[in-house]
Amino acid sequence: MKQSVSHYMMPYDREEDIRKIITDLHLDGIENLVYGEEPAKHPVPSLTVGCHLAYWPDWMNFYLGRSDLYKKDFPTEKSLIDYFGGTTVEDWERRIRNNIRAALAEKPAYLVWHVADCSVEEIWTRQFRYSNQEVLKAAAEVYSAVADEVPSSVLVLFENIFWPGLYTLKPDDVDYFFNRLPGKNVGIMLDTGHLMNTNWNIRTEEDGADYVCSVVNRLGSMKSLIRGIHLSCSISGDYQRTHVGPPPAKITPEIIGHHIISIDQHRPFTTDAAKRIVDTVEPEFLTHELFGPDFSIPVDKVTTQRNAIMGW
């Protein structure tokens, strides 16, 4: 199992400094966050285990041509272009292709692709317009349109989020989705925090491990699709339960961001609950995906979680 930490290479990051941190943490490298369309001026393939691709949370209305709906979140042509790279699905697919090429410049073993859809309003109301399978069908179509960019030697791992899509990884949904994907170089990146966010009854790390392991075991033979884990702990049931309803009258990126990180906490596991999850999944790749106070690697939190995996 290769262990990495999620990290966005900032312009001021020096490769040798990041390598020292990785070595001191006894990790194998970073899961490189690549969100742009241009390859980095200074790629770091020697540090990169995998790459996390760009993510568009709110895309189904646009993809389906529902301008009456997507204009609520993208009222101007500029806002549409800023988000999707153009005003057509073909423009968006071109942006996705460019993002994949930028990520491949880092020579990753795998790419991470989020599978979910949620409009700004739905973040609060949780009255979702589209079902899991509607999102999965469309996501498979989008991936199929650009899959030729990915060499067969690079895995594409599809990640669950706490909105419609892979969501709670129900066996029927997983089977439905993967039967629609081209190629064999595909699998699941299981995000433990995202999965925990779907169960508002979780109150402890032990509860979280019970739930995650039950979902994994429920997959039966399809468990083998889980090739990687984004490991973090998120216990946000109380917050979510008390923050369901109409969105705020004024919505800003800061308000959206605060709401999302209140749900999706990205805290380190501190107990052997982490070890139980890892032992159950037996992943090839494990990424410590943890929030720190800034863009630097949160060394103390990674250390805490790594020790929890070891049962220390």
Side-chain angles (χ1 to χ4, degrees), residues 152 155 181-187 227:
S152 60
L155 287 169
L181 299 179
K184 297 182 179 179
N185 57 327
V186 293
R227 307 290 290 273

Side-chain angles (χ1 to χ4, degrees), residues 17-41:
D17 293 339
I18 302 301
R19 180 175 289 106
K20 183 179 187 309
I21 294 172
I22 295 303
T23 300
D24 290 347
L25 286 170
H26 304 288
L27 301 178
D28 297 289
I30 63 171
E31 184 176 285
N32 201 334
L33 305 176
V34 179
Y35 296 152
E37 294 184 71
E38 296 294 330
K41 292 182 179 179

Side-chain angles (χ1 to χ4, degrees), residues 44-114:
V44 287
S46 66
L47 289 176
T48 299
V49 177
C51 283
H52 200 306
L53 297 173
Y55 169 48
W56 291 265
D58 183 359
W59 60 276
M60 282 285 288
N61 292 327
F62 174 72
Y63 179 72
L64 297 175
R66 297 293 307 274
S67 60
D68 57 320
L69 296 174
Y70 70 67
K71 284 185 177 179
K72 293 179 181 178
D73 291 339
F74 309 103
T76 66
E77 185 173 283
K78 183 181 184 302
S79 63
L80 205 62
I81 293 171
D82 287 346
Y83 194 75
F84 291 106
T87 59
T88 69
V89 171
E90 290 74 22
D91 291 331
W92 181 39
E93 289 174 352
R94 190 177 305 113
R95 174 166 278 188
I96 294 172
R97 285 181 178 275
N98 290 340
N99 178 231
I100 291 171
R101 292 170 188 158
L104 291 175
E106 303 289 344
K107 307 298 182 186
Y110 65 85
L111 304 173
V112 180
W113 182 303
H114 279 171

Side-chain angles (χ1 to χ4, degrees), residues 76-241:
T76 66
E77 185 173 283
K78 183 181 184 302
S79 63
L80 205 62
I81 293 171
D82 287 346
Y83 194 75
F84 291 106
T87 59
T88 69
V89 171
E90 290 74 22
D91 291 331
W92 181 39
E93 289 174 352
R94 190 177 305 113
R95 174 166 278 188
I96 294 172
R97 285 181 178 275
N98 290 340
N99 178 231
I100 291 171
R101 292 170 188 158
L104 291 175
E106 303 289 344
K107 307 298 182 186
Y110 65 85
L111 304 173
V112 180
W113 182 303
H114 279 171
V115 185
D117 175 79
C118 185
S119 70
V120 172
E121 183 178 0
E122 290 169 342
I123 296 173
W124 277 272
T125 66
R126 301 191 65 84
Q127 298 297 310
F128 300 112
R129 179 174 298 276
Y130 301 108
S131 68
N132 285 341
Q133 293 202 355
E134 286 172 322
V135 175
L136 294 172
K137 179 178 181 294
E141 291 170 357
V142 174
Y143 175 68
S144 297
V146 301
D148 59 299
E149 290 290 346
V150 185
S152 60
S153 58
V154 177
L155 287 169
V156 181
L157 303 183
F158 295 91
E159 181 178 346
N160 59 295
I161 308 186
F162 42 96
W163 297 320
L166 285 176
Y167 201 47
T168 55
L169 293 170
K170 291 181 179 178
D172 286 350
D173 290 339
V174 172
D175 184 62
Y176 180 89
F177 182 58
F178 281 89
N179 277 328
R180 281 161 174 74
L181 299 179
K184 297 182 179 179
N185 57 327
V186 293
I188 294 171
M189 177 62 76
L190 170 65
D191 190 299
T192 59
H194 291 171
L195 190 58
M196 289 170 68
N197 291 335
T198 68
N199 185 339
W200 296 0
N201 294 319
I202 291 172
R203 297 194 176 278
T204 66
E205 292 188 14
E206 189 74 12
D207 292 343
D210 287 345
Y211 179 60
V212 172
C213 291
S214 69
V215 168
V216 170
N217 289 328
R218 184 179 64 185
L219 287 172
S221 62
M222 289 187 292
K223 170 187 167 183
S224 63
L225 286 168
I226 304 176
R227 307 290 290 273
I229 292 179
H230 280 173
L231 191 65
S232 71
C233 179
S234 188
I235 303 175
S236 62
D238 287 345
Y239 176 86
Q240 293 192 72
R241 197 176 288 109

